[in-house]
Amino acid sequence: MPHVFASKPRFCVGFKPGLIRVRCPKCGTPHFEYFGPADRDEVGAELALLRAELARAFAILASQTRSPKPSPGAAARRKRARRR
Ligand SMILES: [Zn+2]
């Protein structure tokens, strides 16, 4: 069962699809709020979001590899990421 928000939340990667349910302040019943592109492509919206997150993660990894001595924690994080 999808969670119904009392008010429109700020967009978060935790909301899997571009669609979320928000309780209407007028009639009290849940309505759908869409956070994706104007073409209403749910899958495309999620992929675009995940691609942006992936690019951010790669930027963090790239900055860690460039540093001369990466911390042991960073190396462990890289190992875990590779296993997926
Ligand atoms: Zn309403």
Side-chain angles (χ1 to χ4, degrees):
M1 190 182 161
H3 180 75
V4 180
F5 294 91
S7 60
K8 192 173 173 178
R10 294 184 64 183
F11 191 74
C12 168
V13 74
F15 309 147
K16 283 286 280 177
L19 272 173
I20 59 149
R21 303 183 88 201
V22 180
R23 195 175 299 283
C24 177
K26 286 171 194 161
C27 66
T29 57
H31 289 289
F32 284 106
E33 290 279 349
Y34 188 67
F35 284 95
D39 61 2
R40 294 195 72 85
D41 178 8
E42 274 182 68
V43 177
E46 187 173 352
L47 285 177
L49 182 77
L50 291 175
R51 259 187 225 114
E53 291 297 313
L54 201 64
R56 204 173 302 154
F58 271 123
I60 291 164
L61 284 178
S63 68
Q64 283 176 351
T65 358
R66 245 184 276 120
S67 61
K69 267 192 176 181
S71 71
R77 274 195 296 280
R78 269 199 296 279
K79 253 180 228 165
R80 274 198 297 276
R82 230 177 267 138
R83 230 178 281 144
R84 267 190 270 154

Coordinates of all heavy atoms in Angstrom, one line a residue:
M1 N 0.9 -1.2 0.0 CA 0.0 0.0 0.0 C 0.9 1.2 0.0 O 1.8 1.4 0.9 CB -0.9 0.0 1.3 CG -2.0 1.0 1.2 SD -3.0 1.0 2.8 CE -3.7 2.6 2.7
P2 N 0.7 2.1 -0.9 CA 1.5 3.3 -1.0 C 1.2 4.3 0.1 O 0.1 4.4 0.5 CB 1.2 3.9 -2.4 CG -0.1 3.4 -2.7 CD -0.4 2.1 -2.0
H3 N 2.3 4.9 0.6 CA 2.1 5.9 1.7 C 1.5 7.2 1.1 O 1.8 7.6 0.0 CB 3.5 6.3 2.3 CG 3.4 7.3 3.3 ND1 3.0 7.0 4.6 CD2 3.8 8.6 3.4 CE1 3.0 8.1 5.3 NE2 3.5 9.1 4.6
V4 N 0.5 7.7 1.9 CA -0.1 9.0 1.5 C 0.5 10.1 2.3 O 0.4 10.1 3.5 CB -1.7 8.9 1.7 CG1 -2.3 10.2 1.2 CG2 -2.2 7.8 0.8
F5 N 1.0 11.1 1.7 CA 1.6 12.2 2.4 C 0.6 13.2 2.8 O -0.4 13.5 2.0 CB 2.7 12.9 1.5 CG 3.9 12.0 1.3 CD1 3.9 11.2 0.1 CD2 5.0 12.0 2.1 CE1 5.0 10.3 -0.1 CE2 6.0 11.1 1.9 CZ 6.1 10.3 0.8
A6 N 0.7 13.8 3.9 CA -0.2 14.8 4.4 C -0.1 16.1 3.5 O -1.1 16.8 3.2 CB 0.0 15.1 5.9
S7 N 1.1 16.4 3.2 CA 1.4 17.5 2.3 C 2.4 17.1 1.3 O 3.2 16.2 1.5 CB 1.8 18.7 3.1 OG 3.0 18.4 3.8
K8 N 2.5 17.9 0.2 CA 3.5 17.6 -0.8 C 4.9 17.6 -0.3 O 5.4 18.7 0.1 CB 3.3 18.6 -1.9 CG 4.0 18.3 -3.2 CD 3.6 19.4 -4.3 CE 4.3 19.2 -5.5 NZ 3.9 20.2 -6.5
P9 N 5.6 16.5 -0.3 CA 7.0 16.5 0.2 C 8.0 17.0 -0.8 O 7.7 17.1 -2.0 CB 7.3 15.0 0.5 CG 6.4 14.3 -0.4 CD 5.2 15.2 -0.8
R10 N 9.2 17.4 -0.4 CA 10.2 17.8 -1.3 C 10.7 16.5 -2.0 O 10.7 15.4 -1.4 CB 11.4 18.4 -0.6 CG 11.0 19.8 0.0 CD 12.2 20.4 0.7 NE 13.2 20.8 -0.3 CZ 14.3 21.3 0.0 NH1 14.6 21.6 1.3 NH2 15.2 21.6 -0.9
F11 N 11.1 16.6 -3.2 CA 11.4 15.4 -4.0 C 12.6 14.7 -3.3 O 13.6 15.3 -2.9 CB 11.7 15.7 -5.4 CG 11.8 14.4 -6.2 CD1 10.7 13.7 -6.5 CD2 13.0 13.9 -6.6 CE1 10.7 12.6 -7.2 CE2 13.1 12.7 -7.3 CZ 12.0 12.1 -7.6
C12 N 12.5 13.3 -3.3 CA 13.6 12.5 -2.6 C 13.8 11.3 -3.5 O 12.8 10.8 -4.0 CB 13.1 12.1 -1.2 SG 14.1 10.9 -0.4
V13 N 15.0 10.8 -3.5 CA 15.3 9.5 -4.3 C 14.6 8.3 -3.7 O 14.3 7.3 -4.4 CB 16.8 9.3 -4.4 CG1 17.4 8.8 -3.1 CG2 17.1 8.3 -5.5
G14 N 14.1 8.4 -2.5 CA 13.4 7.3 -1.8 C 12.0 7.1 -2.4 O 11.5 6.0 -2.3
F15 N 11.4 8.1 -3.0 CA 10.1 7.9 -3.7 C 10.4 7.3 -5.0 O 10.8 8.0 -6.0 CB 9.4 9.3 -3.8 CG 9.3 10.1 -2.6 CD1 9.4 11.5 -2.6 CD2 9.2 9.5 -1.4 CE1 9.3 12.2 -1.5 CE2 9.1 10.2 -0.2 CZ 9.1 11.6 -0.3
K16 N 10.2 6.0 -5.1 CA 10.7 5.3 -6.3 C 10.1 5.8 -7.6 O 10.9 6.3 -8.4 CB 10.4 3.8 -6.1 CG 11.4 3.1 -5.2 CD 12.8 2.9 -5.8 CE 12.7 1.7 -6.7 NZ 14.0 1.5 -7.4
P17 N 8.9 5.8 -7.9 CA 8.4 6.4 -9.2 C 8.3 7.9 -9.1 O 8.4 8.5 -8.0 CB 7.0 5.7 -9.4 CG 6.6 5.1 -8.1 CD 7.7 5.4 -7.1
G18 N 8.0 8.5 -10.2 CA 7.8 9.9 -10.2 C 6.4 10.3 -9.6 O 6.2 11.5 -9.3
L19 N 5.6 9.3 -9.4 CA 4.3 9.6 -8.8 C 4.2 9.4 -7.3 O 4.7 8.3 -6.9 CB 3.2 8.7 -9.5 CG 2.5 9.2 -10.7 CD1 1.7 8.0 -11.3 CD2 1.7 10.4 -10.5
I20 N 3.7 10.3 -6.5 CA 3.5 10.1 -5.1 C 2.0 10.5 -4.8 O 1.4 11.2 -5.5 CB 4.5 10.9 -4.2 CG1 4.3 12.4 -4.5 CG2 5.9 10.4 -4.4 CD1 4.6 13.2 -3.3
R21 N 1.5 10.0 -3.7 CA 0.2 10.3 -3.3 C 0.2 11.3 -2.2 O 0.9 11.2 -1.2 CB -0.6 9.0 -2.8 CG -0.6 7.9 -3.8 CD -1.3 6.7 -3.4 NE -2.7 6.9 -3.7 CZ -3.7 6.2 -3.1 NH1 -3.5 5.4 -2.1 NH2 -5.0 6.4 -3.5
V22 N -0.6 12.4 -2.3 CA -0.7 13.4 -1.3 C -2.2 13.6 -0.9 O -3.0 13.7 -1.8 CB -0.1 14.8 -1.9 CG1 -0.2 15.9 -0.9 CG2 1.3 14.6 -2.4
R23 N -2.4 13.8 0.4 CA -3.8 14.0 0.8 C -4.2 15.4 0.5 O -3.5 16.4 0.7 CB -3.8 13.8 2.4 CG -5.3 13.7 2.9 CD -5.3 13.4 4.4 NE -4.6 12.2 4.7 CZ -5.2 11.0 4.5 NH1 -6.4 10.9 4.0 NH2 -4.5 9.9 4.9
C24 N -5.4 15.5 -0.2 CA -5.9 16.8 -0.7 C -6.4 17.7 0.5 O -7.1 17.2 1.3 CB -7.0 16.6 -1.6 SG -7.7 18.1 -2.3
P25 N -5.9 18.9 0.6 CA -6.4 19.8 1.7 C -7.9 20.1 1.6 O -8.5 20.5 2.6 CB -5.5 21.0 1.6 CG -4.9 21.0 0.3 CD -4.9 19.6 -0.2
K26 N -8.4 20.0 0.4 CA -9.8 20.4 0.1 C -10.8 19.3 0.5 O -11.7 19.4 1.3 CB -10.0 20.9 -1.3 CG -9.4 22.2 -1.6 CD -9.4 22.6 -3.1 CE -8.5 23.8 -3.4 NZ -8.2 23.8 -4.8
C27 N -10.6 18.1 -0.2 CA -11.5 17.0 0.0 C -11.0 15.9 0.9 O -11.8 15.0 1.3 CB -11.9 16.4 -1.3 SG -10.6 15.6 -2.2
G28 N -9.7 15.9 1.3 CA -9.2 14.9 2.3 C -8.8 13.6 1.7 O -8.3 12.8 2.4
T29 N -9.1 13.4 0.4 CA -8.8 12.1 -0.2 C -7.4 12.2 -0.9 O -7.0 13.3 -1.3 CB -9.9 11.7 -1.2 OG1 -10.0 12.7 -2.2 CG2 -11.2 11.4 -0.6
P30 N -6.7 11.1 -1.1 CA -5.4 11.1 -1.7 C -5.5 11.4 -3.2 O -6.4 10.9 -3.9 CB -4.8 9.7 -1.5 CG -5.7 9.0 -0.5 CD -7.1 9.7 -0.6
H31 N -4.6 12.3 -3.6 CA -4.5 12.6 -5.0 C -3.1 12.3 -5.4 O -2.2 12.3 -4.6 CB -4.8 14.1 -5.3 CG -6.2 14.5 -5.2 ND1 -7.2 14.1 -6.0 CD2 -6.8 15.2 -4.2 CE1 -8.3 14.6 -5.7 NE2 -8.2 15.3 -4.5
F32 N -2.9 12.2 -6.7 CA -1.5 11.9 -7.2 C -0.8 13.2 -7.5 O -1.4 14.1 -8.1 CB -1.5 11.0 -8.4 CG -1.8 9.6 -8.1 CD1 -3.0 9.0 -8.4 CD2 -0.8 8.8 -7.5 CE1 -3.3 7.7 -8.1 CE2 -1.1 7.5 -7.2 CZ -2.3 6.9 -7.5
E33 N 0.5 13.3 -7.1 CA 1.3 14.4 -7.5 C 2.4 13.8 -8.3 O 3.0 12.8 -8.0 CB 1.9 15.0 -6.2 CG 0.9 15.8 -5.4 CD 0.6 17.2 -5.9 OE1 1.4 17.7 -6.8 OE2 -0.3 17.8 -5.4
Y34 N 2.7 14.5 -9.4 CA 3.8 14.0 -10.3 C 5.0 14.9 -10.3 O 4.9 16.1 -10.4 CB 3.2 14.0 -11.7 CG 4.1 13.3 -12.7 CD1 4.3 11.9 -12.6 CD2 4.7 14.0 -13.7 CE1 5.2 11.3 -13.5 CE2 5.5 13.4 -14.6 CZ 5.8 12.0 -14.5 OH 6.6 11.4 -15.4
F35 N 6.2 14.3 -10.1 CA 7.4 15.1 -10.0 C 8.3 14.9 -11.2 O 9.4 15.4 -11.2 CB 8.2 14.6 -8.7 CG 7.6 15.1 -7.5 CD1 6.7 14.3 -6.8 CD2 7.9 16.4 -7.0 CE1 6.2 14.8 -5.6 CE2 7.4 16.8 -5.8 CZ 6.5 16.1 -5.1
G36 N 7.8 14.1 -12.2 CA 8.7 13.9 -13.3 C 8.5 14.9 -14.4 O 7.9 15.9 -14.2
P37 N 9.0 14.6 -15.6 CA 8.9 15.5 -16.8 C 7.5 15.6 -17.3 O 6.6 14.9 -16.9 CB 9.8 14.8 -17.9 CG 10.5 13.6 -17.2 CD 9.8 13.3 -16.0
A38 N 7.2 16.6 -18.1 CA 5.9 17.0 -18.5 C 5.2 15.9 -19.4 O 4.0 15.9 -19.5 CB 5.9 18.3 -19.3
D39 N 6.0 15.0 -20.0 CA 5.4 14.0 -20.8 C 4.8 12.8 -20.0 O 4.3 11.9 -20.6 CB 6.5 13.4 -21.8 CG 7.7 12.8 -21.1 OD1 7.7 12.7 -19.9 OD2 8.6 12.4 -21.8
R40 N 4.9 12.9 -18.7 CA 4.3 12.0 -17.7 C 4.8 10.5 -18.0 O 4.1 9.6 -17.8 CB 2.7 12.0 -17.8 CG 2.1 13.3 -17.4 CD 0.7 13.2 -17.1 NE 0.4 12.4 -15.9 CZ 0.3 12.9 -14.7 NH1 0.6 14.2 -14.5 NH2 0.0 12.1 -13.7
D41 N 6.1 10.4 -18.3 CA 6.7 9.1 -18.4 C 7.3 8.7 -17.1 O 8.4 9.2 -16.7 CB 7.8 9.2 -19.5 CG 8.5 7.9 -19.7 OD1 8.1 6.9 -19.1 OD2 9.5 7.9 -20.5
E42 N 6.6 7.9 -16.3 CA 7.0 7.5 -15.0 C 8.4 6.8 -15.0 O 9.3 7.1 -14.2 CB 6.0 6.5 -14.4 CG 4.9 7.2 -13.7 CD 4.0 6.1 -13.0 OE1 4.4 5.5 -12.1 OE2 2.8 6.0 -13.5
V43 N 8.5 5.8 -15.9 CA 9.8 5.1 -16.0 C 10.9 6.0 -16.4 O 12.0 5.9 -15.8 CB 9.6 3.9 -17.0 CG1 10.9 3.2 -17.1 CG2 8.5 3.0 -16.5
G44 N 10.7 6.8 -17.4 CA 11.7 7.8 -17.8 C 12.1 8.7 -16.7 O 13.3 9.0 -16.6
A45 N 11.1 9.2 -15.9 CA 11.4 10.1 -14.8 C 12.3 9.4 -13.8 O 13.3 10.0 -13.3 CB 10.1 10.5 -14.1
E46 N 12.0 8.1 -13.5 CA 12.8 7.4 -12.5 C 14.2 7.2 -13.0 O 15.2 7.3 -12.3 CB 12.1 6.1 -12.2 CG 12.8 5.3 -11.0 CD 12.1 4.1 -10.6 OE1 10.9 3.9 -11.0 OE2 12.6 3.4 -9.8
L47 N 14.3 6.8 -14.3 CA 15.6 6.5 -14.9 C 16.5 7.8 -14.9 O 17.7 7.7 -14.6 CB 15.5 6.0 -16.3 CG 15.0 4.5 -16.4 CD1 14.8 4.1 -17.9 CD2 16.0 3.6 -15.7
A48 N 15.9 8.9 -15.2 CA 16.6 10.2 -15.3 C 17.1 10.5 -13.9 O 18.3 11.0 -13.7 CB 15.7 11.3 -15.8
L49 N 16.3 10.3 -12.9 CA 16.7 10.5 -11.5 C 17.8 9.6 -11.1 O 18.8 10.1 -10.5 CB 15.4 10.3 -10.6 CG 15.7 10.5 -9.1 CD1 15.6 12.0 -8.9 CD2 14.6 9.9 -8.3
L50 N 17.7 8.3 -11.4 CA 18.7 7.4 -11.0 C 20.0 7.6 -11.7 O 21.1 7.5 -11.2 CB 18.3 5.9 -11.3 CG 17.1 5.4 -10.4 CD1 16.6 4.1 -10.8 CD2 17.5 5.4 -8.9
R51 N 19.9 8.1 -13.0 CA 21.1 8.4 -13.8 C 21.9 9.6 -13.1 O 23.1 9.6 -13.0 CB 20.8 8.7 -15.2 CG 21.1 7.6 -16.1 CD 20.9 7.9 -17.6 NE 20.1 6.9 -18.3 CZ 18.9 7.1 -18.8 NH1 18.3 8.2 -18.7 NH2 18.3 6.1 -19.4
A52 N 21.1 10.6 -12.6 CA 21.7 11.7 -12.0 C 22.4 11.3 -10.7 O 23.5 11.8 -10.4 CB 20.6 12.8 -11.7
E53 N 21.7 10.4 -9.9 CA 22.3 9.9 -8.7 C 23.6 9.1 -9.0 O 24.6 9.2 -8.3 CB 21.3 9.0 -7.9 CG 20.2 9.7 -7.4 CD 20.6 10.8 -6.3 OE1 21.4 10.4 -5.4 OE2 20.1 11.9 -6.4
L54 N 23.6 8.3 -10.1 CA 24.7 7.5 -10.5 C 25.9 8.4 -10.8 O 27.0 8.1 -10.4 CB 24.3 6.6 -11.6 CG 25.2 5.4 -11.9 CD1 25.1 4.4 -10.7 CD2 24.7 4.7 -13.2
A55 N 25.6 9.5 -11.6 CA 26.6 10.4 -12.0 C 27.3 11.0 -10.8 O 28.5 11.2 -10.7 CB 26.0 11.5 -12.9
R56 N 26.4 11.4 -9.8 CA 26.9 11.9 -8.5 C 27.8 11.0 -7.8 O 28.9 11.3 -7.3 CB 25.8 12.4 -7.6 CG 26.1 13.5 -6.7 CD 24.8 13.9 -5.9 NE 23.8 14.4 -6.9 CZ 22.5 14.4 -6.6 NH1 22.1 14.0 -5.5 NH2 21.7 14.9 -7.5
A57 N 27.4 9.7 -7.7 CA 28.2 8.6 -7.1 C 29.5 8.4 -7.8 O 30.6 8.3 -7.1 CB 27.4 7.3 -7.0
F58 N 29.5 8.5 -9.1 CA 30.8 8.3 -9.9 C 31.7 9.5 -9.6 O 32.9 9.3 -9.5 CB 30.5 8.2 -11.4 CG 30.2 6.8 -11.8 CD1 29.1 6.4 -12.5 CD2 31.2 5.8 -11.6 CE1 28.8 5.1 -12.9 CE2 31.0 4.5 -12.0 CZ 29.8 4.1 -12.6
A59 N 31.1 10.7 -9.5 CA 32.0 11.9 -9.2 C 32.7 11.7 -7.9 O 33.8 12.1 -7.8 CB 31.1 13.1 -9.3
I60 N 31.9 11.1 -6.9 CA 32.5 11.0 -5.6 C 33.6 9.9 -5.6 O 34.7 10.1 -5.1 CB 31.4 10.5 -4.6 CG1 30.5 11.7 -4.3 CG2 32.1 10.1 -3.2 CD1 29.2 11.2 -3.7
L61 N 33.4 8.8 -6.4 CA 34.4 7.7 -6.5 C 35.6 8.3 -7.2 O 36.7 7.9 -6.9 CB 33.8 6.5 -7.3 CG 32.8 5.6 -6.5 CD1 32.3 4.5 -7.4 CD2 33.5 5.0 -5.3
A62 N 35.4 9.0 -8.3 CA 36.5 9.6 -9.1 C 37.4 10.5 -8.2 O 38.6 10.4 -8.3 CB 36.0 10.3 -10.3
S63 N 36.7 11.3 -7.3 CA 37.5 12.2 -6.5 C 38.3 11.4 -5.4 O 39.4 11.8 -5.1 CB 36.6 13.2 -5.8 OG 35.8 12.5 -4.9
Q64 N 37.8 10.2 -5.0 CA 38.5 9.4 -4.1 C 39.6 8.7 -4.7 O 40.7 8.5 -4.1 CB 37.5 8.4 -3.5 CG 36.6 9.0 -2.4 CD 35.6 7.9 -1.9 OE1 35.5 6.9 -2.5 NE2 34.8 8.3 -0.9
T65 N 39.5 8.2 -5.9 CA 40.6 7.5 -6.6 C 41.7 8.5 -6.9 O 42.9 8.1 -7.0 CB 40.1 6.9 -7.9 OG1 38.7 7.1 -8.1 CG2 40.4 5.4 -7.9
R66 N 41.4 9.8 -7.2 CA 42.4 10.7 -7.5 C 43.3 11.1 -6.3 O 44.5 11.4 -6.5 CB 41.8 12.0 -8.1 CG 42.2 12.2 -9.6 CD 41.6 13.5 -10.1 NE 40.2 13.3 -10.6 CZ 39.2 14.0 -10.1 NH1 39.4 14.9 -9.1 NH2 38.0 13.9 -10.6
S67 N 42.8 11.0 -5.1 CA 43.5 11.3 -3.9 C 44.6 10.3 -3.7 O 44.4 9.1 -4.0 CB 42.6 11.4 -2.7 OG 42.0 10.2 -2.5
P68 N 45.9 10.7 -3.3 CA 47.0 9.7 -3.2 C 46.8 8.6 -2.2 O 47.2 7.5 -2.5 CB 48.2 10.6 -2.8 CG 47.6 11.9 -2.2 CD 46.2 12.0 -2.9
K69 N 46.2 8.9 -1.0 CA 46.0 7.8 -0.1 C 44.5 7.7 0.3 O 44.1 8.4 1.2 CB 46.8 8.1 1.2 CG 48.2 7.4 1.1 CD 48.9 7.4 2.5 CE 50.2 6.6 2.4 NZ 50.9 6.7 3.7
P70 N 43.7 6.8 -0.3 CA 42.3 6.7 0.0 C 42.2 6.1 1.4 O 42.9 5.2 1.8 CB 41.7 5.8 -1.1 CG 42.8 5.2 -1.8 CD 44.1 5.9 -1.4
S71 N 41.2 6.5 2.2 CA 41.0 5.9 3.5 C 40.5 4.5 3.4 O 39.9 4.1 2.4 CB 39.9 6.8 4.3 OG 38.7 6.5 3.7
P72 N 40.8 3.6 4.4 CA 40.3 2.2 4.4 C 38.8 2.1 4.2 O 38.3 1.2 3.6 CB 40.8 1.6 5.7 CG 41.7 2.6 6.3 CD 41.5 4.0 5.6
G73 N 38.1 3.0 4.8 CA 36.7 3.0 4.7 C 36.2 3.2 3.3 O 35.3 2.6 2.8
A74 N 36.9 4.1 2.5 CA 36.5 4.3 1.1 C 36.8 3.1 0.3 O 36.0 2.7 -0.6 CB 37.3 5.5 0.6
A75 N 37.9 2.3 0.6 CA 38.2 1.1 -0.2 C 37.1 0.1 0.1 O 36.7 -0.6 -0.8 CB 39.5 0.6 0.3
A76 N 36.6 0.0 1.3 CA 35.6 -1.0 1.7 C 34.3 -0.7 1.0 O 33.6 -1.5 0.5 CB 35.4 -1.1 3.2
R77 N 34.0 0.7 0.9 CA 32.8 1.1 0.2 C 32.8 0.7 -1.2 O 31.8 0.3 -1.8 CB 32.6 2.6 0.4 CG 31.9 3.0 1.7 CD 31.4 4.4 1.7 NE 32.4 5.4 1.6 CZ 33.2 5.8 2.6 NH1 33.0 5.3 3.8 NH2 34.1 6.7 2.4
R78 N 34.0 0.9 -1.9 CA 34.1 0.6 -3.3 C 33.9 -0.9 -3.5 O 33.3 -1.3 -4.5 CB 35.5 1.0 -3.8 CG 35.5 2.4 -4.3 CD 36.7 2.6 -5.2 NE 38.0 2.6 -4.5 CZ 38.5 3.5 -3.8 NH1 37.9 4.7 -3.6 NH2 39.7 3.4 -3.2
K79 N 34.4 -1.8 -2.6 CA 34.3 -3.2 -2.7 C 32.8 -3.6 -2.7 O 32.4 -4.4 -3.4 CB 35.0 -3.9 -1.6 CG 36.3 -4.6 -2.1 CD 37.0 -5.3 -0.9 CE 38.5 -5.0 -0.9 NZ 39.1 -5.3 0.4
R80 N 32.1 -3.0 -1.7 CA 30.7 -3.3 -1.6 C 29.9 -2.9 -2.8 O 29.0 -3.6 -3.3 CB 30.1 -2.6 -0.3 CG 30.3 -3.4 0.9 CD 29.3 -2.9 2.0 NE 29.6 -1.5 2.4 CZ 30.5 -1.1 3.3 NH1 31.2 -2.0 3.9 NH2 30.7 0.1 3.6
A81 N 30.3 -1.8 -3.4 CA 29.6 -1.2 -4.6 C 29.8 -2.1 -5.8 O 28.9 -2.3 -6.6 CB 30.1 0.2 -4.9
R82 N 31.0 -2.8 -5.9 CA 31.3 -3.6 -7.0 C 30.5 -4.9 -6.9 O 30.2 -5.5 -8.0 CB 32.8 -4.0 -7.0 CG 33.5 -3.7 -8.3 CD 35.0 -4.0 -8.3 NE 35.7 -2.8 -8.0 CZ 36.8 -2.8 -7.1 NH1 37.1 -3.8 -6.5 NH2 37.4 -1.6 -6.9
R83 N 30.2 -5.4 -5.7 CA 29.5 -6.7 -5.6 C 28.1 -6.6 -6.1 O 27.5 -7.6 -6.5 CB 29.4 -7.1 -4.1 CG 29.9 -8.5 -3.9 CD 29.9 -8.9 -2.4 NE 31.1 -8.3 -1.7 CZ 31.0 -7.9 -0.5 NH1 29.9 -7.8 0.2 NH2 32.1 -7.4 0.1
R84 N 27.5 -5.4 -6.2 CA 26.1 -5.3 -6.6 C 25.9 -5.6 -8.1 O 26.7 -5.2 -8.9 CB 25.5 -3.9 -6.3 CG 24.9 -3.9 -4.9 CD 24.1 -2.6 -4.7 NE 25.0 -1.6 -4.1 CZ 24.8 -0.3 -4.3 NH1 23.9 0.2 -5.0 NH2 25.6 0.5 -3.7
Ligands
ZN1 ZN -9.3 16.9 -3.6

